[in-house]
Amino acid sequence: MQITASTASLTVDDVAASQHFFTTHLGYVEQAAAEGFASLSRDDAAVDIVLLARGTEVLPADQRDQHASGLILAFTGTGIETEEKRLRAEGVEITMPLREEPWGERLFQVTDPNGVIVQFVEWVTPSGPEHA
């Protein structure tokens, strides 16, 4: 098998709210949409996103009422300090401020209106004395 794309399918209460968040603030564009459904993508290496309304009958019965909790949708890139400033300026609440871990991971998080956690990561040279 050769994988040609990756998609995260998220079950949310308000598809329109998440769709607006991802298209307005994170550069996604709508590929297809219907009642209780939206398919979003970007032109770069970001994972595609499908939003499904909780309770939709296209899902197996044991998955219909699950919510996209416990999931962190992480994007790795460059320039995340600029990205955090841009999102703040757009009024997006930064739910975990930018920080740098001793192993060289810089990251921050935002949360969409349905509680989907989006994390931005940039890898840098570790700064602690054990890495000198």
Side-chain angles (χ1 to χ4, degrees):
M1 176 174 104
Q2 179 182 5
I3 297 173
T4 59
S6 296
T7 303
S9 183
L10 307 174
T11 306
V12 297
D13 289 321
D14 186 343
V15 169
S18 285
Q19 179 179 7
H20 178 75
F21 180 85
F22 281 95
T23 57
T24 301
H25 301 296
L26 302 184
Y28 277 84
V29 294
E30 178 187 296
Q31 297 301 307
E35 182 67 31
F37 165 82
S39 176
L40 311 175
S41 69
R42 289 176 45 121
D43 288 337
D44 57 13
V47 66
D48 292 345
I49 296 173
V50 168
L51 301 166
L52 293 171
R54 232 164 54 142
T56 188
E57 293 192 11
V58 295
L59 292 172
D62 64 336
Q63 296 176 16
R64 290 180 190 156
D65 289 322
Q66 292 182 3
H67 184 270
S69 62
L71 170 92
I72 297 175
L73 186 58
F75 297 111
T76 302
T78 59
I80 67 168
E81 187 171 339
T82 301
E83 186 68 5
E84 183 196 36
K85 288 177 184 175
R86 181 189 68 81
L87 290 168
R88 276 187 199 278
E90 291 180 3
V92 174
E93 180 184 359
I94 306 300
T95 51
M96 185 180 78
L98 183 64
R99 68 184 198 207
E100 185 172 326
E101 301 296 351
W103 52 85
E105 179 182 25
R106 296 183 76 215
L107 67 154
F108 75 94
Q109 292 179 348
V110 299
T111 303
D112 97 325
N114 282 289
V116 176
I117 299 168
V118 180
Q119 179 171 292
F120 297 86
V121 176
E122 180 174 28
W123 292 96
V124 297
T125 302
S127 57
E130 66 278 3
H131 300 286

